Amino acid sequence: PDSILCYNDRMAISLIDILSRHGYRIPEDIAVTGFDHLEIGQNILPALSTVTFPIYEMGQKAMELLLDAINGVPLPDTTVLMAEPLYRNSCGCVKKNHKPSGLYEHQLMERINTLENSMLNNIKMASVLCGVKDLDEGMELMEKFLPRIRNCYELYICLYQNWNAVSPHIQEITSSQEEYTDAGILIMPFAYQNGKRLHQCSFTKRGILPDYIYTRSQSSYVFSPLFFHEREFGYLALSFRENQLAYQFDFLTWIVNVSRMLNTICESRQTDLLVNHLGDLYLKDDLTGLYNSRGFWQQAGLLLEQAAQSNAPLLTMVFDIDDLKTINNMYGHHEGDFAIQVVGHALEHISQDGLASARLSGDIFHILAIGLTEEYAREILLSVNQYLEHYNQIHTKKYTIRVNSGYALVHAGSVYNAQEIFDSAEQNLKIEKCKAKAISCPS
């Protein structure tokens, strides 16, 4: 053919390359033109003749026609927009030699630099937010990256009420109980408007944004869901200054980083639950929930150090379940475990700061406290015995749950060795047992 009119510039550029490789001269042998005016077409040899494609004007005119239709204005049957032809070398209309101006290379380098900066900013944002474990901290850090969203006027983060819910599997492992009821509430921990942070708030699901924002707004919003795998956190609402949309590629990575941060906060919460549960397994008695020997001696070291620094007295108490062996032999070990749990609940009942309770062996319980008086020690003994007495009256067990007890009070300046203090308390426990036997045996 004498000439080929291509559907667009990319097809025309590819055609010129193929024809040149087959020995045809452009435009001497075959004239070629494109359509849509790409930058690359201006910077090849020969320069590509093409036709401008008025995309922006078409969109603008389409919106005007849409508004006219909404307002009842009669629409024309046909709307004509001008597309200007650009004559260059590939069609033979311009005979002078053409040398690329370097504009395309310059624009290409600018795009590469923009993408590189976007990648570096994305890496920096990801590294800053990856270790966030607290939502408020994350919102403060996120604000620093807002200037990178070009032309941003408003940005709101809206989270579902149960966005950080613990999975049923983790709840089962850690014996934690979380029940969420959908109250139709959304949480907005981050609100940005015209260069200023707004206060956090919650609002009902009636509106996609709080009424005080949405009803007065003249903005058009871009909404994006916030999610990570199976987790659904909520959504993000964004508006641009003067409604001039600038939804660029790096904003997508910005949303990804926010979603990852929210997922990290959820994962951190579940990890903390697992760590605490593991600590309980290591330091707590699984039958009573009190400290075991490892946990108690750890707490004892801290309390002894505090007592030494504050020159405070130390109180240690020992409780021994009466006739636990008889309960095990007559009613079974499950009943013996039940009696141990009841005594553990009695000690939990009097728990307070500065007081450590533990079950160190089968039927022996210890309490260590600082800053308490002998009078308070007797109140603790009375409280534990009253708890057990009330329990025995309420429950119809065939056996009675009782404890023997002893205590020792060491004042500042004396020995601060835990084992010696406990030995003293256990010695008092033996004395109390001897007294009980003497009372019950008149001979």
Side-chain angles (χ1 to χ4, degrees), residues 265-282:
I265 295 174
C266 291
E267 292 289 345
S268 175
R269 183 172 181 233
Q270 296 197 146
T271 301
D272 288 344
L273 283 174
L274 290 172
V275 169
N276 291 334
H277 182 63
L278 183 61
D280 287 344
L281 292 176
Y282 182 74

Side-chain angles (χ1 to χ4, degrees), residues 335-364:
E335 291 295 333
D337 290 344
F338 179 79
I340 291 172
Q341 289 176 322
V342 172
V343 175
H345 293 157
L347 296 185
E348 276 187 335
H349 183 67
I350 50 94
S351 180
Q352 63 178 34
D353 293 337
L355 186 149
S357 304
R359 174 184 171 230
L360 299 187
S361 61
D363 59 349
I364 301 295

Side-chain angles (χ1 to χ4, degrees), residues 2-234:
D2 293 328
S3 62
I4 301 175
L5 174 61
C6 295
Y7 178 77
N8 58 39
D9 282 5
R10 292 192 182 279
M11 294 180 69
I13 293 167
S14 298
L15 177 63
I16 289 173
D17 179 60
I18 292 171
L19 292 174
S20 298
R21 284 192 276 114
H22 283 78
Y24 293 96
R25 296 173 301 162
I26 310 298
E28 289 81 3
D29 297 329
I30 300 177
V32 178
T33 67
F35 193 92
D36 66 7
H37 191 207
L38 296 182
E39 294 94 334
I40 189 174
Q42 306 170 43
N43 292 278
I44 64 170
L45 288 175
L48 183 64
S49 296
T50 187
V51 179
T52 60
F53 191 66
I55 298 175
Y56 183 85
E57 290 80 4
M58 288 175 67
Q60 187 178 41
K61 191 62 179 178
M63 180 56 69
E64 290 175 0
L65 293 173
L66 178 62
L67 292 174
D68 286 343
I70 292 173
N71 294 323
V73 177
L75 301 183
D77 294 332
T78 305
T79 300
V80 178
L81 295 175
M82 295 304 297
E84 180 184 0
L86 300 172
Y87 301 104
R88 297 196 179 96
N89 302 106
S90 66
C91 66
C93 297
V94 179
K95 300 299 182 182
K96 64 180 181 180
N97 292 330
H98 171 79
K99 293 183 179 180
S101 63
L103 176 63
Y104 177 70
E105 287 81 357
H106 177 70
Q107 292 174 339
L108 185 61
M109 288 302 300
E110 283 188 341
R111 291 179 182 177
I112 293 173
N113 289 334
T114 300
L115 288 175
E116 286 180 346
N117 289 331
S118 175
M119 291 171 63
L120 292 173
N121 290 332
N122 177 41
I123 292 171
K124 182 176 181 181
M125 185 176 182
S127 64
V128 169
L129 298 182
C130 70
V132 172
K133 297 182 179 180
D134 178 73
L135 182 62
D136 291 336
E137 177 191 358
M139 298 298 102
E140 293 294 328
L141 292 172
M142 194 183 68
E143 183 180 5
K144 299 178 181 179
F145 296 94
L146 272 180
R148 292 175 183 163
I149 304 177
R150 188 166 41 123
N151 208 28
C152 177
Y153 181 68
E154 295 172 275
L155 191 143
Y156 307 104
I157 299 239
C158 305
L159 302 178
Y160 303 132
Q161 193 174 3
N162 63 336
W163 72 273
N164 61 345
V166 177
S167 69
H169 178 61
I170 300 298
Q171 289 190 48
E172 182 179 356
I173 292 175
T174 59
S175 300
S176 60
Q177 295 181 351
E178 289 188 355
E179 294 184 2
Y180 288 100
T181 56
D182 188 0
I185 298 295
L186 288 164
I187 304 164
M188 191 169 71
F190 186 87
Y192 172 88
Q193 187 180 93
N194 196 20
K196 295 181 180 179
R197 281 280 300 271
L198 305 181
H199 293 296
Q200 300 182 17
C201 71
S202 59
F203 60 99
T204 63
K205 288 182 179 179
R206 286 183 319 212
I208 201 164
L209 287 173
D211 291 341
Y212 75 91
I213 293 175
Y214 203 71
T215 55
R216 295 181 298 177
S217 176
Q218 298 296 319
S219 298
S220 298
Y221 293 98
V222 175
F223 290 93
S224 173
L226 298 172
F227 64 95
F228 196 91
H229 291 295
E230 300 298 325
R231 286 197 176 109
E232 298 177 355
F233 306 120

